């Protein structure tokens, strides 16, 4: 695993490497949501990225950074969905094998996407330890290169290209809000923010039921205790060590959000801006709405990380927020 800390030059290299493959996603605005937030919101629409999530950026950078001999042996990862689909597509574009270890209980729509892009799926128990062990077994059997979902320098640098594009399009932001799970998107955003907008504050939106990031920041050391319980399936991964180091150095601040607020924010994005985003993405808007004093009157970049919604689960999701379907 490539876990060395990347820098802003790596983000720039990634932007050049993936330019022929990844979408430069739009930055969207909504007067209705601005009024509700009391701020000027600029939404980076990564739900419109290939495979429906920002994850394609990092996976694409990792795959196309491999030398020919290494690439020929393929790649392997573990993923609850979006990263697996992203790596599968990137591998297909390069014409190499891809293996994805998937935990039991993963969202069916995301598993279908991984299979659609041609990866071979390997099931495991729904724990990080089981994922890592299964990944190691596949690597030993195939010689494939491991591309970790978030604690990989190439992945972090690739994810940083989302914030790079946002800040180039809207250079005078006062704050940027990013969902926090394993920390790849957040750490990549930290590199871009520090380089391009050092006066801009970085906020990390994390589910209350999977708040290892908040605990880690409070302790000053990684705290992976506890089992994640949240509808934000893409944010259940534990914060990676290189990601934590980059985020601490950036002065980022964690804002925890309960699932009810997240689902309510998802519904707002659907109805007010007509953007189909998943809970793991809507949490960024939920964090802004939950902390009006932090964002009032400010220009805020909100990274909408993905839009792969499990439509069959909607009745249960909206019940969490006390709202009808």
């Amino acid at each position: 695993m490539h876990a060395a800390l990347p820098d802003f030059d790596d983000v720039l290299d990634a932007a050049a490497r993936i330019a022929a493959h990844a979408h430069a996603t739009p930055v969207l605005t909504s007067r209705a949501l601005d009024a509700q937030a009391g701020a000027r919101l600029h939404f980076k629409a990564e739900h419109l990225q290939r495979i429906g999530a920002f994850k394609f950026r990092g996976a694409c950078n990792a795959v196309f950074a491999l030398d020919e001999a290494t690439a020929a042996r393929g790649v392997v990862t573990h993923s609850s969905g979006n990263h697996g689909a992203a790596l599968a597509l990137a591998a297909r574009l390069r014409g190499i094998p891809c293996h994805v270890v998937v935990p039991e209980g993963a969202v069916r729509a995301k598993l279908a996407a991984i299979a659609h892009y041609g990866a071979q799926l390997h099931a495991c128990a729904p724990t990080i330890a089981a994922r890592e062990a299964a990944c190691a077994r596949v690597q030993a059997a195939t010689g494939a290169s491991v591309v970790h979902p978030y604690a990989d320098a190439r992945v972090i640098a690739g994810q940083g290209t989302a914030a790079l594009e946002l800040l180039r399009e809207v250079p005078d932001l006062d704050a940027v809000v990013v969902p926090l799970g394993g920390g790849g998107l957040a750490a990549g955003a930290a590199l871009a923010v520090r380089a391009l907008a050092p006066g801009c504050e970085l906020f990390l939106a994390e589910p209350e039921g999977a708040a290892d990031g908040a605990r880690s920041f409070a302790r000053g050391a990684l705290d992976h205790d506890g089992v994640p319980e949240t509808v934000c399936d893409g944010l259940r991964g534990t914060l990676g060590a290189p990601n934590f180091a980059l985020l601490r150095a950036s002065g980022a601040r964690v804002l925890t959000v309960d699932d009810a607020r997240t689902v309510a924010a998802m519904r707002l994005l659907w109805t007010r801006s007509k953007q189909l985003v998943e809970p793991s993405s809507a949490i960024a808007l939920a964090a802004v709405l939950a902390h009006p004093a932090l964002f009032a009157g400010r220009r805020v970049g909100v990274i909408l990380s993905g839009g792969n919604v499990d439509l069959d689960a909607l009745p249960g999701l909206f019940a969490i927020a006390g709202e009808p379907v």
Side-chain angles (χ1 to χ4, degrees):
M1 179 172 66
H2 290 243
L5 297 184
D7 59 23
F8 184 60
D9 284 341
D10 294 314
V11 177
L12 295 176
D13 289 342
R17 186 174 290 119
I18 72 175
H21 308 288
H23 296 322
T25 55
V27 177
L28 309 175
T29 58
S30 165
R31 291 178 181 176
L33 293 177
D34 283 358
Q36 187 135 356
R40 296 176 64 187
L41 307 179
H42 301 266
F43 297 99
K44 181 60 172 168
E46 284 298 292
H47 58 295
L48 303 180
Q49 185 56 259
R50 296 184 76 168
I51 71 92
F54 76 94
K55 292 280 191 177
F56 181 69
R57 295 176 180 273
C60 185
N61 188 49
V63 165
F64 282 89
L66 296 172
D67 62 68
E68 290 296 331
T70 304
R73 295 192 293 273
V75 289
V76 59
T77 194
H78 61 79
S79 170
S80 62
N82 285 342
H83 175 68
L87 193 68
L89 175 56
R92 191 179 78 178
L93 291 172
R94 188 154 183 192
I96 63 175
C98 179
H99 303 268
V100 180
V101 172
V102 295
E104 297 166 1
V107 175
R108 284 179 292 175
K110 294 184 178 181
L111 295 184
I114 298 172
H116 170 75
Y117 292 121
Q120 182 174 342
L121 274 62
H122 306 263
C124 73
T127 67
I128 295 297
R131 290 189 189 196
E132 298 283 3
C135 214
R137 287 195 297 271
V138 174
Q139 181 190 31
T142 63
S145 296
V146 175
V147 179
H148 193 276
Y150 46 84
D152 183 304
R154 303 162 302 187
V155 169
I156 295 169
Q159 316 304 30
T161 62
L164 174 70
E165 291 175 8
L166 171 63
L167 290 165
R168 282 176 168 171
E169 185 164 342
V170 192
D172 53 349
L173 292 174
D174 299 306
V176 171
V177 186
V178 187
L180 179 65
L185 178 63
L191 292 173
V193 169
R194 287 177 68 189
L196 297 180
C200 180
E201 290 189 89
L202 178 61
F203 292 94
L204 314 175
E206 184 176 51
E208 282 187 357
D212 64 296
R215 295 194 305 270
S216 298
F217 271 76
R219 285 185 52 186
L222 284 173
D223 182 343
H224 290 164
D225 290 341
V227 177
E229 291 290 341
T230 176
V231 297
C232 301
D233 65 285
L235 305 182
R236 292 173 188 158
T238 53
L239 182 58
N243 316 74
F244 181 50
L246 288 168
L247 290 168
R248 285 190 74 197
S250 75
R253 177 176 173 184
V254 180
L255 303 175
T256 57
V257 185
D258 65 62
D259 280 355
R261 286 182 181 272
T262 294
V263 174
M266 182 180 77
R267 190 181 188 108
L268 273 176
L269 283 159
W270 288 21
T271 56
R272 303 290 170 81
S273 65
K274 312 306 178 190
Q275 300 301 310
L276 182 67
V277 299
E278 61 189 277
S280 299
S281 177
I283 193 172
L285 173 61
V288 173
L289 297 177
H291 298 274
L294 282 178
F295 300 102
R298 306 180 79 189
R299 291 169 60 86
V300 184
V302 180
I303 298 186
L304 299 178
S305 53
N308 294 310
V309 179
D310 183 5
L311 297 179
D312 294 334
L314 285 186
L317 275 181
F318 287 128
I320 289 171
E323 300 184 36
V325 178

